Amino acid sequence: MPTPDFIRELRTSLGNALLPLPGVSAIVLDDEGRVLLGRRSDNGRWSIIGGIPEPGEQPATAVVREVYEETAVRCVPERIVLVETLEPVVYPNGDVCQFMDVCFRCRAVGGEARVNDDESLEVGWFAVDELPEMEEFAVTRIKQAAYDGPTWFEPAEPR
């Protein structure tokens, strides 16, 4: 995934130090209940669609933009599935980021799934019971989106 310009600018003064960032991810379902996935160009693994909001961009707007940019599918966010701070990630260049992911369940409303940028090798719809091998990050979010329970978050520790 290419680094957004605003992050490159921050890195000029921050160096490789930990940079907390917002992130969004999408569980996009079609009318048949299939999940939209992309096979990532950076690691070759299948995953849900996601990205980084631009400065000032609302999370729901960012998730719609990311889904379209990566897959050419138009979607409508229906609800927040979970909010979770992820473990820090160290990139090959030494940059350290920690994302707070807001995951949305979305309904596909148009477009045809295809590779729409250089972030994916393949894009496709998968039945929930026939998912390819994926990281636990994606599987957990798909499971949470499958039922209409409350938004998941890590419980706060009592003070």
Side-chain angles (χ1 to χ4, degrees), residues 8-131:
R8 274 196 222 99
E9 290 173 23
L10 285 170
R11 287 288 180 202
T12 61
S13 59
L14 187 64
N16 297 114
L18 175 66
L19 177 60
L21 289 168
V24 293
S25 58
I27 306 303
V28 182
L29 302 171
D30 67 5
D31 291 338
E32 297 172 36
R34 298 177 301 172
V35 179
L36 180 64
L37 301 175
R39 193 162 68 84
R40 297 172 54 107
S41 59
D42 62 351
N43 64 17
R45 308 238 9 215
W46 286 98
S47 191
I48 59 176
I49 309 304
I52 301 169
E54 296 292 329
E57 185 178 35
Q58 293 295 326
T61 301
V63 83
V64 168
R65 176 183 53 75
E66 288 288 346
V67 169
Y68 183 75
E69 285 178 358
E70 295 181 29
T71 69
V73 170
R74 299 214 179 269
C75 69
V76 174
E78 294 181 321
R79 73 176 182 91
I80 294 175
V81 172
L82 64 73
V83 177
E84 180 181 34
T85 299
L86 306 176
E87 292 296 318
V89 176
V90 180
Y91 291 95
N93 67 355
D95 287 352
V96 182
C97 293
Q98 185 170 31
F99 295 94
M100 177 178 289
D101 180 50
V102 178
C103 181
F104 290 83
R105 183 175 72 187
C106 301
R107 179 174 35 90
V109 294
E112 190 150 333
R114 63 178 167 83
V115 174
N116 205 34
D117 66 11
D118 60 357
E119 293 184 39
S120 299
L121 301 172
E122 296 177 71
V123 170
W125 294 101
F126 292 85
V128 174
D129 59 353
E130 296 178 0
L131 297 173

